[in-house]
């Protein structure tokens, strides 16, 4: 709801030679800014390739007058709608956004939010393939630059696991690192 107030300006001009005066008045109506929207979540962190959840705006008067921006771009990247799905899931970094609502020709103070995309950690297993005899064992070791928590497809944790496949054929083990 807008609560207009007004201010009136008056100007008087006097002719220097005749002394005649002329007055003119202008009234300016001032609309209050609409309420700042609330954004949920305000800041999101994802790993590259993760599905991204929409950002929700609440506190609006008319969902068709919600404007989503990515500064410094001054025109909206989405107009209308209470949900916004940020893009750019393949590049690491932080992308900042703002959202405002428009009422009676005025935009609200923008609500800011960001989406951070983290790089995936690097992981290497000590060798890509092994050939062993049934009943024998081999130690698999994974490493990553930096730190992380390891988990293996056979349930082991830590950077190494000892495996002894019981069946002949191909045995596949996967290591996952969480940074």
């Amino acid at each position: 709801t807008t609560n207009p107030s007004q201010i009136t300006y008056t100007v008087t001009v006097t002719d220097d030679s005749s002394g005649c005066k002329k007055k003119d008045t202008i009234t300016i109506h001032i609309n209050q800014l609409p309420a700042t929207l609330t954004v949920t979540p305000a800041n999101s962190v994802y790993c590259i390739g993760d599905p991204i959840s929409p950002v929700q705006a609440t506190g609006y008067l008319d969902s068709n007058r919600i404007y989503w921006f990515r500064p410094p771009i001054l025109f909206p990247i989405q107009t209308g709608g209470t949900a916004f799905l940020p893009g750019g899931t393949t590049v690491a970094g932080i992308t900042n956004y703002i959202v405002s609502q428009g009422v009676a020709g005025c935009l609200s103070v923008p609500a800011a939010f960001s989406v951070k995309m983290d790089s995936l950690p690097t992981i290497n297993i000590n060798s890509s393939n092994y050939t062993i005899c049934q009943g024998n064992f081999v130690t698999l070791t994974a490493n990553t630059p930096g730190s992380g928590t390891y988990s293996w497809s056979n349930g082991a944790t830590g950077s190494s696991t000892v495996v002894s496949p019981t069946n002949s054929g191909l045995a596949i083990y996967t290591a996952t690192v969480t940074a």
Side-chain angles (χ1 to χ4, degrees):
T1 304
T2 58
N3 296 319
S5 60
Q6 64 184 30
I7 189 165
T8 302
Y9 292 98
T10 302
V11 64
T12 302
V13 177
T14 304
D15 185 300
D16 289 338
S17 61
S18 68
C20 295
K21 295 180 181 183
K22 173 74 176 172
K23 181 168 57 169
D24 199 3
T25 303
I26 186 168
T27 300
I28 299 174
H29 297 275
I30 304 166
N31 291 328
Q32 262 187 343
L33 292 179
T36 300
L37 298 170
T38 301
V39 179
T40 307
N43 298 302
S44 304
V45 179
Y46 297 95
C47 292
I48 290 176
D50 284 351
I52 301 226
S53 298
V55 176
Q56 300 291 326
T58 58
Y60 55 88
L61 296 174
D62 180 352
S63 65
N64 292 319
R65 296 183 188 248
I66 295 176
Y67 304 97
W68 303 87
F69 300 89
R70 191 167 97 196
I73 300 170
L74 297 177
F75 56 88
I77 54 177
Q78 178 179 313
T79 300
T82 61
F84 171 72
L85 186 61
T89 61
T90 60
V91 178
I94 298 174
T95 304
N96 295 307
Y97 299 92
I98 58 173
V99 60
S100 292
Q101 67 174 316
V103 177
C106 299
L107 281 178
S108 66
V109 173
F113 63 99
S114 66
V115 176
K116 180 181 180 192
M117 298 305 296
D118 284 335
S119 297
L120 297 174
T122 303
I123 186 171
N124 295 304
I125 298 178
N126 58 336
S127 179
S128 58
N129 295 307
Y130 283 102
T131 301
I132 62 171
C133 294
Q134 187 176 4
N136 288 349
F137 67 90
V138 65
T139 301
L140 302 175
T141 302
N143 60 57
T144 183
S147 62
T149 303
Y150 297 87
S151 61
W152 291 84
S153 56
N154 65 349
T157 59
S159 61
S160 296
T161 186
V162 177
V163 296
S164 179
T166 56
N167 297 324
S168 62
L170 182 63
I172 299 175
Y173 296 91
T174 304
T176 303
V177 65
T178 304

